[in-house]
Amino acid sequence: MIKRRHKRLIARQLREAPAVVLFGPRQVGEATLARSMATELPDSAYLDFEAQRDLAKLADPALYLDAYR
């Protein structure tokens, strides 16, 4: 995998805020970076808001997010 220069910045932001959104033009690696960080960082999750199953998880956001306190 390509070394990502923004990993430290994102990790720092996640320590300060409960969520970080990555967006950009298609096919530049946002999803790859987010999935990678979700596996490396404890108590983190990756949600794809284009996937119906992930949107369904947020039908009751408090219930879903309580698992990550």
Side-chain angles (χ1 to χ4, degrees):
M1 183 160 124
I2 299 170
K3 186 172 181 174
R4 305 289 179 172
R5 64 182 170 170
H6 296 301
K7 270 188 160 184
R8 281 192 304 261
L9 173 64
I10 295 166
R12 185 172 61 236
Q13 293 297 320
L14 284 170
R15 286 191 295 273
E16 297 173 11
V20 172
V21 175
L22 300 177
F23 62 93
R26 294 184 63 78
Q27 303 295 312
V28 296
E30 312 95 337
T32 301
L33 176 59
R35 280 193 298 265
S36 164
M37 293 195 71
T39 61
E40 294 173 13
L41 298 172
D43 297 326
S44 62
Y46 166 77
L47 294 173
D48 177 353
F49 291 143
E50 292 182 359
Q52 200 60 34
R53 71 180 187 287
D54 285 349
L55 287 174
K57 292 175 184 177
L58 296 178
D60 185 349
L63 179 64
Y64 178 75
L65 295 173
D66 274 347
Y68 295 97
R69 285 186 180 228

